């Protein structure tokens, strides 16, 4: 599991490095969706290259995650809200996975 997460982070980072800073390859609808959530072309291309939709990207961003950390948590089947709850509880991805596998959940902080 740790190796899979590491591979996902490396792929996301390489996608960031090679992401064009234009809207090339996106439809007008896609561009509008990314702009609506406040992303510029570079951000949109990077998050899209990481396998995120505009809606997912907005959710992860609003929960305080950057692309790299969102990719790590998503790669372990967490959604943005779950990841935030674990992270707020003091867990990193690996310890959250271990605890979740034991049937535990983080204390939800409001």
């Amino acid at each position: 599991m740790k190796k899979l997460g590491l591979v996902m982070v490396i792929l996301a980072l390489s996608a960031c490095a090679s992401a064009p800073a234009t809207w090339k390859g996106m439809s007008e609808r896609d561009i509008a969706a990314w702009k609506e959530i406040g992303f510029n072309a570079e951000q949109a291309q990077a998050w899209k290259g990481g396998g995120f939709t505009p809606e997912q990207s907005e959710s992860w961003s609003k929960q305080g995650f950057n692309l790299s950390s969102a990719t790590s948590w998503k790669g372990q089947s967490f959604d943005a809200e779950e990841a935030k709850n674990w992270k707020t509880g003091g867990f990193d991805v690996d310890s959250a996975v271990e605890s979740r596998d034991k049937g535990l959940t983080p204390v939800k902080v409001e």
Side-chain angles (χ1 to χ4, degrees), residues 7-56:
V7 169
M8 294 291 289
V9 169
I10 291 169
L11 288 174
L13 292 176
S14 65
C16 291
S18 63
T22 69
W23 296 106
K24 185 176 180 179
M26 291 191 190
S27 69
E28 289 296 321
R29 175 180 271 174
D30 288 342
I31 294 169
W34 287 106
K35 284 183 175 182
E36 186 175 314
I37 63 170
F39 279 46
N40 63 32
E42 184 177 359
Q43 293 167 315
Q45 292 287 6
W47 282 81
K48 182 180 179 187
F52 292 87
T53 65
E55 295 79 16
Q56 292 169 330

Side-chain angles (χ1 to χ4, degrees), residues 57-70:
S57 302
E58 179 180 36
S59 179
W60 284 98
S61 295
K62 282 186 176 180
Q63 297 298 336
F65 292 89
N66 63 27
L67 176 57
S68 178
S69 61

Side-chain angles (χ1 to χ4, degrees), residues 78 81-91 95-96 99-100 103-110:
F78 289 96
E81 186 175 343
E82 290 173 318
K84 181 183 179 191
N85 290 335
W86 284 102
K87 191 173 178 181
T88 302
F91 293 84
S95 61
S99 296
R100 180 184 63 186
L104 302 174
T105 56
V107 174
K108 188 172 182 178
V109 179
E110 294 294 326

